[in-house]
Coordinates of all heavy atoms in Angstrom, one line a residue:
Chain A
G137 N 137.8 132.6 156.4 CA 138.8 133.3 157.2 C 138.3 134.3 158.1 O 139.0 134.7 159.1
Y138 N 137.1 134.8 157.9 CA 136.6 135.9 158.7 C 136.2 135.4 160.1 O 136.0 136.1 161.0 CB 135.3 136.5 158.1 CG 135.5 137.1 156.8 CD1 134.8 136.7 155.7 CD2 136.6 138.0 156.5 CE1 135.0 137.3 154.4 CE2 136.8 138.6 155.3 CZ 136.0 138.2 154.2 OH 136.2 138.7 153.0
H139 N 136.1 134.1 160.2 CA 135.7 133.5 161.5 C 137.0 132.9 162.3 O 136.8 132.1 163.2 CB 134.6 132.4 161.3 CG 133.4 133.0 160.7 ND1 132.6 133.8 161.3 CD2 133.0 132.9 159.4 CE1 131.6 134.2 160.5 NE2 131.8 133.7 159.3
T140 N 138.2 133.3 161.8 CA 139.4 132.8 162.5 C 139.9 133.8 163.5 O 139.6 135.0 163.4 CB 140.5 132.5 161.5 OG1 140.8 133.7 160.8 CG2 140.0 131.5 160.4
W141 N 140.7 133.3 164.5 CA 141.2 134.2 165.5 C 142.2 135.2 164.9 O 142.3 136.3 165.4 CB 141.8 133.4 166.6 CG 143.1 132.7 166.3 CD1 143.2 131.4 165.8 CD2 144.4 133.2 166.3 NE1 144.5 131.1 165.6 CE2 145.3 132.2 165.8 CE3 145.0 134.5 166.6 CZ2 146.7 132.4 165.7 CZ3 146.4 134.6 166.5 CH2 147.2 133.6 166.0
Q142 N 142.8 134.8 163.8 CA 143.8 135.7 163.2 C 143.1 136.9 162.7 O 143.6 138.1 162.8 CB 144.5 135.0 162.0 CG 145.5 133.9 162.5 CD 144.8 132.5 162.5 OE1 143.6 132.4 162.6 NE2 145.6 131.4 162.3
Y143 N 142.0 136.8 162.0 CA 141.2 137.9 161.5 C 140.8 138.8 162.6 O 141.0 140.1 162.6 CB 140.1 137.4 160.7 CG 139.2 138.5 160.1 CD1 139.6 139.2 158.9 CD2 138.0 138.8 160.7 CE1 138.8 140.2 158.4 CE2 137.2 139.8 160.2 CZ 137.6 140.5 159.0 OH 136.8 141.5 158.5
S144 N 140.2 138.2 163.7 CA 139.7 139.0 164.8 C 140.9 139.7 165.5 O 140.8 140.9 165.9 CB 139.0 138.1 165.8 OG 137.9 137.6 165.2
A145 N 142.0 139.0 165.6 CA 143.2 139.6 166.2 C 143.7 140.8 165.4 O 144.0 141.9 166.0 CB 144.3 138.6 166.3
A146 N 143.7 140.7 164.1 CA 144.1 141.8 163.2 C 143.2 143.0 163.4 O 143.7 144.2 163.6 CB 144.1 141.4 161.8
L147 N 141.9 142.8 163.5 CA 141.0 143.9 163.7 C 141.1 144.4 165.1 O 141.0 145.7 165.3 CB 139.6 143.4 163.4 CG 139.1 143.2 162.0 CD1 137.7 142.8 161.9 CD2 139.4 144.5 161.2
G148 N 141.4 143.5 166.1 CA 141.6 144.0 167.4 C 142.8 144.9 167.6 O 142.7 145.9 168.3
I149 N 143.9 144.6 166.9 CA 145.1 145.4 166.9 C 144.8 146.8 166.3 O 145.1 147.8 166.8 CB 146.2 144.7 166.2 CG1 146.7 143.5 167.0 CG2 147.4 145.7 166.0 CD1 147.6 142.6 166.3
A150 N 144.0 146.7 165.2 CA 143.7 148.0 164.5 C 142.8 148.8 165.5 O 143.0 150.1 165.6 CB 142.9 147.7 163.2
A151 N 141.9 148.2 166.2 CA 141.0 148.9 167.1 C 141.8 149.5 168.2 O 141.5 150.7 168.6 CB 139.9 148.0 167.6
V152 N 142.7 148.8 168.8 CA 143.5 149.3 169.9 C 144.3 150.5 169.4 O 144.4 151.6 170.1 CB 144.4 148.2 170.5 CG1 145.5 148.8 171.4 CG2 143.6 147.2 171.2
A153 N 144.9 150.4 168.2 CA 145.8 151.5 167.7 C 144.9 152.7 167.4 O 145.3 153.9 167.8 CB 146.4 151.0 166.4
V154 N 143.8 152.5 166.8 CA 142.9 153.7 166.5 C 142.3 154.3 167.8 O 142.3 155.5 167.9 CB 141.8 153.2 165.5 CG1 140.7 154.3 165.3 CG2 142.4 152.8 164.2
G155 N 141.9 153.4 168.7 CA 141.3 153.9 169.9 C 142.4 154.6 170.8 O 142.1 155.7 171.3
G156 N 143.6 154.1 170.8 CA 144.7 154.8 171.5 C 145.0 156.1 171.0 O 145.1 157.1 171.7
Y157 N 145.0 156.2 169.6 CA 145.2 157.5 169.0 C 144.1 158.5 169.3 O 144.4 159.7 169.7 CB 145.3 157.3 167.5 CG 145.4 158.7 166.8 CD1 146.6 159.3 166.6 CD2 144.3 159.3 166.3 CE1 146.7 160.6 166.0 CE2 144.3 160.5 165.6 CZ 145.5 161.2 165.5 OH 145.6 162.4 164.9
A158 N 142.9 158.0 169.3 CA 141.7 158.9 169.5 C 141.7 159.4 170.9 O 141.5 160.6 171.1 CB 140.4 158.1 169.2
L159 N 142.1 158.6 171.9 CA 142.1 159.0 173.3 C 143.2 160.1 173.5 O 142.9 161.1 174.1 CB 142.3 157.9 174.2 CG 141.2 156.9 174.4 CD1 141.6 155.7 175.3 CD2 140.0 157.7 175.1
G160 N 144.3 159.8 172.9 CA 145.4 160.8 173.0 C 145.1 162.1 172.3 O 145.3 163.2 172.8
A161 N 144.5 162.0 171.1 CA 144.1 163.1 170.3 C 143.1 164.0 171.0 O 143.1 165.2 171.0 CB 143.6 162.7 169.0
R162 N 142.2 163.4 171.8 CA 141.2 164.1 172.6 C 141.9 165.0 173.6 O 141.4 166.1 174.0 CB 140.2 163.2 173.3 CG 139.2 162.6 172.4 CD 138.2 163.6 172.0 NE 137.4 164.2 173.0 CZ 136.7 165.4 172.8 NH1 136.7 165.9 171.7 NH2 136.1 165.9 173.8

Side-chain angles (χ1 to χ4, degrees):
Chain A
Y138 302 126
H139 302 287
T140 60
W141 69 265
Q142 291 94 333
Y143 178 78
S144 297
L147 285 183
I149 290 167
V152 168
V154 171
Y157 172 84
L159 285 175
R162 284 291 299 163

